[in-house]
Amino acid sequence: MVSSDKAASDDVPVKEQQVSPTYDDGHEPVGEIKEENTYAYTDDRKLGITGAVFLILNKMIGTGIFSTPSSIFAATGSVGISLILWVIGGILTFAGLSVWLEYGLAIPRSGGEKNYLEHVYRHPKYLATCVLASQMILLGFSSGNSLAFGRFILYAAGNELKDTYKGRAIGVACATFAVTLHAVAPKWGIRLFNVLGVFKVIVLLFIVCSGFAALAGHRNVPDPENFKNAFSIEKGEGYGGGGAYEYSNALLNIVYSYKGWENANYVLGEIRDPRRTLTIAAPLAVGGVTILYVLANVAYFAAIPKSELATSDAIVAGVFFKNVFGDSAGVRVLPVFVALSNLGNVLAVSFAHARLNQELGKEGLLPLSRLWGSNKPFNSPAAALFLHWIVTVIVLLAPPPGPAYNFIVNLYTYPGAWINSFVAAGLIWLHYRKSENWTSGWHTYLPITLLFLACNVFLVIVPFIPPSGDWNADGYPYYVFPVVGVAVLLIGVVYWTLWTKFWPAVRGHKIVSERVVDDDGVEVIRYRKVKTKAA
């Protein structure tokens, strides 16, 4: 298969076949249409099963499991319910994975849900594309993991747990290192996140084993007795009393922790034998992560008292190490290991999202498309990586010091629930609309799709319901992140109006999609401006 992404210096150029678009008015494209080139990765550059597993693992295992258990317990006030929510998160992840596998094997192109929404929602033309582009570019950041990286580094150095601009500055350095490495030495970027993928699994396994030791009494704090009456719902300092709003936030945080299961679909053109690779690598990665997540939460509850857990914010793993190992040198070293896990996630996210940004640039969808779609000057998507870096740094530095981590997590996750809802509904449509002639190498049964759809509709609606307690408990009004999330999606609608309606009417052209088919028969979409009247 030929990737639509341009690769590094050992890639082989493959000439594409131009397939003329059907223009209703018979006019010619604006300016000269130059012959496009795509680049095929040699087999040694494509990701096999191991590479795909680590690509998924690196995005899934990032900040979430080392940080979000605090907010999950704070919302529920129950040890048992918190653990059940983590299991539910794994089930929902498998449901979403099944939906994405079916789409990915039917439409084997890089870009993920962009391709799926375009296939289903063809009218109004290009609207789904613009909305998704807005969400992916403006909210496809690495800010949460970069922030956690900075805070864990400071915690290892003996600083307080508070969110400060010093930690954020370290986070900026983390994001800068990741995008620079991918831009200047892309092979080494892949190698490093593969190594860190192994490393972060080892860190999680270490936490799980330490948790069993804590259950056996090997800890430096009294027994927190969290598993007595585990399913009782309690109120205490910083936890309990949550209603529908708090539970939806908890589930959003869990979805964030599991996020990354779709990572391979974004770079499907760079995966060797997608049908075999995805159907083995994706379930293996998701199943392993689900088991580790549940056991890691058991470990946290075995060593951290409830009030301390609920108020530990993004440093749950650091508090766990302190309570198990005491104030030793190891307590300062182990948070560094967690920080390196965060770095691996930043590397994986920037790798995938930059290539999605590049695809949008190659297609001619964005302003300055040639810039964002370019592989200059290092034969890597340097400009697209820089775009990802800009958004990451803005979101990292903009919120005032305080509970910024939870806000960033919710802002990152919430609009995705809208996208997931439309993708799931689209698959139901494809199954029952016989004229679509839908076929794929994977089949998702209706109850699984409905479960995934229902969960995401819940996550879309409930954040607008006022919480039972203080409306500003997190330092900002409860409705801020859903409003901002919807606003980002609406920016896509505004851009669609300008791009396909306003400017064409003013400048005398229209937007058409042109199919370009490479030698392997893979269809690539290009958006062109076509004259409709004399300039």
Side-chain angles (χ1 to χ4, degrees), residues 21-25 30 125-126 130 363-365 495-505 507-514 525-532:
T22 302
Y23 298 155
D24 296 335
D25 52 15
V30 176
K125 190 177 289 186
Y126 314 134
C130 292
E363 292 178 358
L365 180 63
Y495 181 75
W496 171 81
T497 303
L498 294 173
W499 184 54
T500 66
K501 304 298 181 183
F502 179 75
W503 289 119
R507 296 173 177 173
H509 67 260
K510 66 179 180 179
I511 303 296
V512 298
S513 59
E514 179 186 33
I525 303 298
R526 299 286 184 265
Y527 297 102
R528 306 288 189 184
K529 297 176 183 178
V530 180
K531 289 181 179 178
T532 57

Side-chain angles (χ1 to χ4, degrees), residues 212-405:
F212 285 122
L215 284 172
H218 299 286
R219 55 184 175 268
N220 281 289
V221 295
D223 185 359
E225 300 184 345
N226 286 332
F227 295 105
K228 291 184 178 180
N229 300 317
F231 287 92
S232 63
I233 300 176
E234 304 174 7
K235 287 186 178 181
E237 183 184 350
Y239 66 89
Y245 175 85
E246 287 79 9
Y247 272 74
S248 71
N249 271 11
L251 196 53
L252 276 172
N253 285 338
I254 289 175
V255 168
Y256 173 79
S257 298
Y258 279 100
K259 195 152 181 65
W261 50 267
E262 74 282 53
N263 211 24
N265 287 63
Y266 291 142
V267 293
L268 204 54
E270 299 177 29
I271 290 179
R272 186 186 312 123
D273 189 3
R275 180 170 183 174
R276 178 175 180 271
T277 299
L278 275 187
T279 54
I280 296 175
L284 184 63
V286 171
V289 168
T290 301
I291 293 170
L292 288 173
Y293 277 10
V294 174
L295 292 178
N297 275 273
V298 172
Y300 295 145
F301 285 120
I304 307 176
K306 293 176 181 176
S307 292
E308 190 175 13
L309 176 65
T311 56
S312 60
D313 195 25
I315 318 292
V316 174
V319 175
F320 171 79
F321 292 141
K322 177 175 68 70
N323 288 1
V324 173
F325 299 103
D327 290 320
S328 63
V331 174
R332 300 305 175 194
V333 173
L334 291 172
V336 175
F337 293 164
V338 178
L340 289 175
S341 174
N342 298 145
L343 172 61
N345 185 275
V346 174
L347 284 163
V349 172
S350 57
F351 175 85
H353 277 281
R355 277 154 179 77
L356 184 57
N357 292 345
Q358 186 184 43
E359 285 298 309
L360 296 172
K362 286 181 178 181
E363 292 178 358
L365 180 63
L366 306 178
L368 305 175
S369 282
R370 288 188 179 182
L371 173 63
W372 309 126
S374 171
N375 280 307
K376 298 178 180 179
F378 304 110
N379 241 351
S380 65
L385 283 161
F386 179 64
L387 179 59
H388 175 81
W389 180 86
I390 291 174
V391 176
T392 294
V393 171
I394 290 174
V395 175
L396 185 57
L397 297 179
Y405 178 77

Side-chain angles (χ1 to χ4, degrees), residues 166-223:
K166 184 187 296 184
R168 298 190 192 191
I170 297 173
V172 171
C174 171
T176 303
F177 169 77
V179 300
T180 302
L181 183 63
H182 280 315
V184 177
K187 280 187 175 181
W188 283 102
I190 294 174
R191 288 168 182 165
L192 182 56
F193 74 61
N194 281 343
V195 170
L196 291 176
V198 176
F199 182 77
K200 62 177 60 180
V201 172
I202 293 173
V203 171
L204 261 185
L205 285 172
F206 181 78
I207 289 175
V208 169
C209 293
S210 300
F212 285 122
L215 284 172
H218 299 286
R219 55 184 175 268
N220 281 289
V221 295
D223 185 359

Side-chain angles (χ1 to χ4, degrees), residues 154-169:
L154 289 178
Y155 181 75
N159 288 270
E160 294 183 4
L161 300 180
K162 294 181 180 179
D163 174 27
T164 64
Y165 279 111
K166 184 187 296 184
R168 298 190 192 191

